[in-house]
Amino acid sequence: MSEAQIECRDLWKIYGKRSDEAMKAVLTEGLSKDEVRDRFGCVLGVRNASFSVSKGEIFCIMGLSGSGKSTLVRHVNRLIEPTSGEIHVAGRRVDTMAEDALRQLRAETIGMVFQHMALWPHRTLGENVGFGLEVRGVALPERRKSAEAALAAMELSGWIDHYPDQLSGGMQQRVGLARALAADPEILLMDEPFSALDPLIRRQLQDQFLNLSTHMDKTTLFITHDLDEAIRMGDHIAIMNDGEIVQIGTPEEIVTNPVDDYVADFVKGISRVSLVRAETIMEPMNGRAHTPKHVRTDAELGEIIDNFMDDQSPVTVVDPEKAPVGLITIKAALTALRG
Amino acid sequence: MDLWNIFDTEWIPVGTWVESALQWVVVNFRFIFQAIKVPFDLVLTALEDGLTQAPDLLVLAIIILIAWQAGGRKLGLIAAACMTAIGLMGAWEESMTTLSIVLTCVVFCSLIGIPLGVIAAKRDRFWMVLQPLLDLMQTIPSFVYLVPIVMLFSIGNVSGVIVTFIYALPPVVRLTNLGIRQVRPDMVEAARAFGASNRQTLYKVELPLAMPTIMAGVNQTIMMALSMVVVSSMISVTGLGQMVLRGIGRLDMGLATVGGLGIVFLAIVIDRVSQSFGTSSRARNHQKWYETGPVGAVRTLVRK
Ligand SMILES: Nc1ncnc2c1ncn2[C@@H]1O[C@H](COP(=O)(O)OP(=O)(O)OP(=O)(O)O)[C@@H](O)[C@H]1O
Ligand SMILES: [Mg+2]
């Protein structure tokens, strides 16, 4: 894929002194995470992960606590050195990059938001947001101007000379977002940015971010442990378990087609009403007559069910040219709803 | 030989060895130690000349202003009371000498101790080597190294500063190390994620966040330096310590008390002032230091 903005190939990370030994043993004997820990005292952080994120999309990574999500994203700007594997960002290879080039990449191309905000308490919001520019040697007036703009985009104008501890949690996380956006990077790494917030503010920030990202065409790697959030935000979702990516797909694919019990467990409680589309549940026409009721191929399950309210005969699915392509019976619709 | 009392004989002559080793160092390397004295001498002389030759009341006023600036009006008043008491007791000159020795010591302890602490925080192996050395410096009774210090550096105030320096250095190193290690890792990670180099991370994030702990170390160092005042007067260091020592020697309770009280008052002032330097602006409602105290007052006056 040539337009991949972030691409990782066969990425491994084993924490600990004896990581090379452990790596060999894992490759030859296929040890599990616990076996690696007991035999080598090393922690298997990421196991053979490959994924690619194309330009402009939001790619969610989700999994239980300790499944290696944070470890995985930190490889993209190489805050963590991989044990083996390749990382490509914006067409450049990161894992072999020299220190200077790497710093420039971090400052100009990649913005990052942290789970616990990680705002520096001794710096004003302006100084926090302008930090990336400051370390690149940009002059103060210019720094301040972009900090003002970034804060304004997060509806925080007027707070520039205040300190982080004078703000509420939601405001602080918006500052974290403003800091990541200040240098106008192409890529955003977000490590559970909204997890520490209460549901109402979380929803509001999700909307604000979605709105922003559709306007600004950023490529985002978004970590969350909340599937609802992943489905709301993500164009694609990768599910991690014990350091391994077990499934990558669109929200619909993940929900309708979980590869194993671990993923199935995740998606159990998820409402399918707005996820499942007509084309995935329709049956072939097979010469059956088409009924007066019809929906488009991309109609959501909710809309299909509405069609069964008054009369329970099958619904015809039509393509954009209005030609019938399939049928949906009430049984198929209800099965899809139940999952 | 009496086998039952073999320890009557000195089998391992440690004393003789140390003595000849020291002699050898003194004969061959004295110039090195004399060179080490030079920077201590320069700073000490400048401070001492400044403090003793300036008019007493001017110095008093400056001390009060500094205390007020550092810790507010209340600390200004405490400083005024303590320093005036010292002056009225007739120990002003001596206290200025002691103050300059302590300040010189703090300058060098900070100049050397803070970088050492930073390196120790970054390199575990260096810290492992440094730690026992610091323990040694703090636990060897200071009397023990008075003799070699005198032989290498001769007697006088500068040697006093060096003895005090050795004794008072460990806390600032320890607490700098601790302070840097205690900085929240995600603060450092965030700095790196936005492209900061190691040096920028240190100066812009780690040192400022560790500053309260480092200042606690400096404060400890000052207190240790003050506690050496009497001991170091045994190698003819002048000042309040000598008043105490002479008082003891002559069984002159009055003199010893004046010296002792002088040390206590001086310690109170220095301790409080250095502690207030350590409180971050976060703890003071985010007011910058120049927005408070006398400087703040002058600034608002000038603006009007
Ligand atoms: N610096 C480290 N040294 C050793 N092991 C580590 C280190 N950081 C993480 N690990 C281990 O790597 C594994 C993955 O951790 P990681 O922080 O990536 O999980 P996570 O999916 O982000 O979890 P959470 O949702 O709790 O943030 C864990 O088993 C953890 O113990
Ligand atoms: Mg994490």
Side-chain angles (χ1 to χ4, degrees):
Chain A
M1 225 193 291
S2 61
E3 49 155 8
Q5 202 49 358
I6 306 172
E7 188 167 7
C8 291
R9 279 191 218 132
D10 310 325
L11 198 66
W12 289 78
K13 174 68 192 180
I14 298 176
Y15 288 105
K17 285 218 177 67
R18 296 167 66 195
S19 59
D20 290 336
E21 257 177 278
M23 174 90 199
K24 275 203 200 91
V26 172
L27 284 181
T28 52
E29 301 167 43
L31 300 181
S32 75
K33 183 170 173 168
D34 290 342
E35 285 168 330
V36 172
R37 188 194 53 218
D38 295 341
R39 261 184 51 190
F40 297 95
C42 294
V43 181
L44 188 52
V46 171
R47 180 185 194 117
N48 202 9
S50 301
F51 65 91
S52 85
V53 185
S54 37
K55 198 164 168 44
E57 79 168 322
I58 299 181
F59 188 93
C60 283
I61 298 177
M62 66 159 295
L64 296 178
S65 185
S67 56
K69 309 181 292 291
S70 301
T71 307
L72 186 59
V73 276
R74 277 162 178 68
H75 282 91
V76 173
N77 55 358
R78 225 175 91 195
L79 287 174
I80 294 178
E81 297 284 339
T83 308
S84 90
E86 282 179 29
I87 305 150
H88 299 262
V89 170
R92 298 164 69 197
R93 189 152 168 193
V94 177
D95 52 310
T96 52
M97 203 176 247
E99 187 65 25
D100 277 344
L102 182 62
R103 282 216 307 276
Q104 191 174 356
L105 182 84
R106 286 172 181 166
E108 293 174 4
T109 318
I110 302 178
M112 190 158 180
V113 183
F114 295 85
Q115 177 168 6
H116 300 287
M117 288 96 168
L119 300 177
W120 300 292
H122 62 293
R123 299 180 139 242
T124 62
L125 298 201
E127 290 164 345
N128 263 286
V129 173
F131 185 83
L133 298 172
E134 184 180 331
V135 297
R136 271 153 67 193
V138 176
L140 179 64
E142 200 178 322
R143 248 153 53 200
R144 201 175 157 87
K145 237 173 62 198
S146 21
E148 253 161 13
L151 285 170
M154 286 287 113
E155 294 163 23
L156 281 169
S157 30
W159 290 92
I160 189 160
D161 289 320
H162 286 70
Y163 286 83
D165 60 2
Q166 296 170 319
L167 271 61
S168 73
M171 288 162 89
Q172 287 184 23
Q173 198 50 284
R174 298 213 303 266
V175 178
L177 213 48
R179 178 172 68 176
L181 293 170
D184 195 25
E186 296 167 43
I187 293 172
L188 284 175
L189 305 180
M190 314 199 25
D191 189 354
E192 306 200 26
F194 308 139
S195 300
L197 306 174
D198 60 77
L200 217 66
I201 296 177
R202 187 151 150 195
R203 188 70 184 230
Q204 188 191 336
L205 279 185
Q206 285 170 356
D207 288 339
Q208 205 171 353
F209 178 73
L210 275 176
N211 192 5
L212 208 91
S213 81
T214 45
H215 283 131
M216 301 210 290
D217 194 34
K218 308 254 182 242
T219 307
T220 307
L221 210 54
F222 191 105
I223 299 189
T224 172
H225 58 237
D226 172 7
L227 189 62
D228 277 319
E229 188 171 62
I231 288 170
R232 257 171 77 74
M233 313 285 293
D235 297 311
H236 284 95
I237 298 176
I239 309 242
M240 289 190 79
N241 181 19
D242 274 355
E244 211 166 357
I245 297 185
V246 289
Q247 186 173 10
I248 298 181
T250 60
E252 185 185 358
E253 282 164 7
I254 300 271
V255 171
T256 53
N257 223 341
V259 291
D260 60 13
D261 292 346
Y262 178 78
V263 183
D265 231 27
F266 262 122
V267 301
K268 215 161 44 193
I270 290 297
S271 156
R272 284 138 212 273
V273 172
S274 59
L275 270 178
V276 177
R277 294 179 190 282
E279 57 192 335
T280 41
I281 54 167
M282 68 189 183
E283 296 157 10
M285 296 290 284
N286 283 345
R288 279 179 281 182
H290 90 253
T291 51
K293 294 186 293 183
H294 57 83
V295 295
R296 290 164 54 107
T297 45
D298 61 353
E300 291 175 352
L301 185 56
E303 186 188 337
I304 300 165
I305 289 174
D306 286 343
N307 277 293
F308 291 115
M309 289 295 177
D310 306 324
D311 110 67
Q312 283 150 21
S313 59
V315 177
T316 312
V317 182
V318 297
D319 65 10
E321 279 84 49
K322 299 275 179 215
V325 289
L327 278 180
I328 299 173
T329 58
I330 184 165
K331 190 170 162 221
L334 289 178
T335 315
L337 182 64
R338 189 160 165 272
Chain B
M1 198 177 58
D2 179 1
L3 213 52
W4 287 106
N5 290 306
I6 54 167
F7 294 146
D8 287 353
T9 316
E10 178 191 18
W11 294 98
I12 307 174
V14 176
T16 327
W17 291 348
V18 170
E19 185 141 350
S20 47
L22 187 61
Q23 275 306 335
W24 183 75
V25 173
V26 169
V27 171
N28 292 289
F29 296 101
R30 198 154 201 276
F31 64 96
I32 293 182
F33 294 95
Q34 294 304 316
I36 292 175
K37 267 175 87 166
V38 173
F40 287 93
D41 199 2
L42 281 176
V43 176
L44 179 63
T45 317
L47 270 172
E48 199 174 1
D49 286 356
L51 284 174
T52 48
Q53 280 163 21
D56 297 350
L57 282 183
L58 178 66
V59 176
L60 178 66
I62 291 176
I63 292 177
I64 294 173
L65 282 178
I66 290 177
W68 178 12
Q69 184 69 58
R73 211 160 296 174
K74 193 170 141 215
L75 187 54
L77 287 176
I78 295 176
C82 289
M83 294 315 289
T84 314
I86 292 177
L88 293 178
M89 287 190 304
W92 184 261
E93 205 77 0
E94 284 82 356
S95 69
M96 286 303 113
T97 306
T98 298
L99 182 60
S100 50
I101 290 174
V102 170
L103 288 182
T104 311
C105 179
V106 170
V107 168
F108 283 96
C109 283
S110 310
L111 276 181
I112 293 170
I114 295 177
L116 276 182
V118 170
I119 300 173
K122 299 284 169 195
R123 294 181 205 286
D124 285 331
R125 198 156 308 158
F126 181 69
W127 177 230
M128 259 150 58
V129 177
L130 193 61
Q131 220 173 353
L133 275 178
L134 295 180
D135 290 339
L136 205 69
M137 284 161 80
Q138 268 185 312
T139 47
I140 287 190
S142 38
F143 287 100
V144 174
Y145 51 81
L146 281 185
V147 180
I149 290 287
V150 170
M151 290 178 73
L152 294 170
F153 296 100
S154 76
I155 57 172
N157 287 2
V158 180
S159 307
V161 170
I162 293 172
V163 172
T164 314
F165 169 82
I166 295 174
Y167 181 67
L169 182 66
V172 68
V173 181
R174 277 183 213 284
L175 281 155
T176 303
N177 170 60
L178 181 71
I180 298 278
R181 280 175 192 262
Q182 274 182 341
V183 172
R184 259 172 60 190
D186 61 339
M187 300 277 154
V188 177
E189 188 177 51
R192 294 213 299 137
F194 285 98
S197 63
N198 287 343
R199 171 182 291 261
Q200 286 168 327
T201 310
L202 180 67
Y203 284 113
K204 291 177 193 291
V205 175
E206 293 177 287
L207 278 179
L209 288 176
M211 201 38 87
T213 315
I214 295 177
M215 285 313 293
V218 172
N219 175 263
Q220 289 266 304
T221 287
I222 294 177
M223 290 295 109
M224 306 230 347
L226 272 166
S227 70
M228 274 295 278
V229 163
V230 177
V231 173
S232 64
S233 67
M234 287 197 281
I235 54 172
S236 346
V237 173
T238 50
L240 294 168
Q242 208 178 42
M243 290 177 92
V244 177
L245 196 71
R246 259 190 295 157
I248 297 171
R250 294 188 211 149
L251 292 181
D252 180 345
M253 197 52 211
L255 189 61
T257 307
V258 171
L261 278 179
I263 293 176
V264 170
F265 287 145
L266 199 60
I268 292 174
V269 175
I270 303 181
D271 177 41
R272 293 294 176 82
V273 171
S274 64
Q275 263 183 28
S276 341
F277 280 137
T279 52
S280 66
S281 72
R282 240 178 306 155
R284 291 191 313 250
N285 263 331
H286 293 298
Q287 282 186 311
K288 296 279 191 303
W289 68 270
Y290 51 77
E291 287 166 352
T292 60
V295 176
V298 172
R299 273 167 56 102
T300 40
L301 272 184
V302 172
R303 283 246 189 86
K304 275 181 195 162

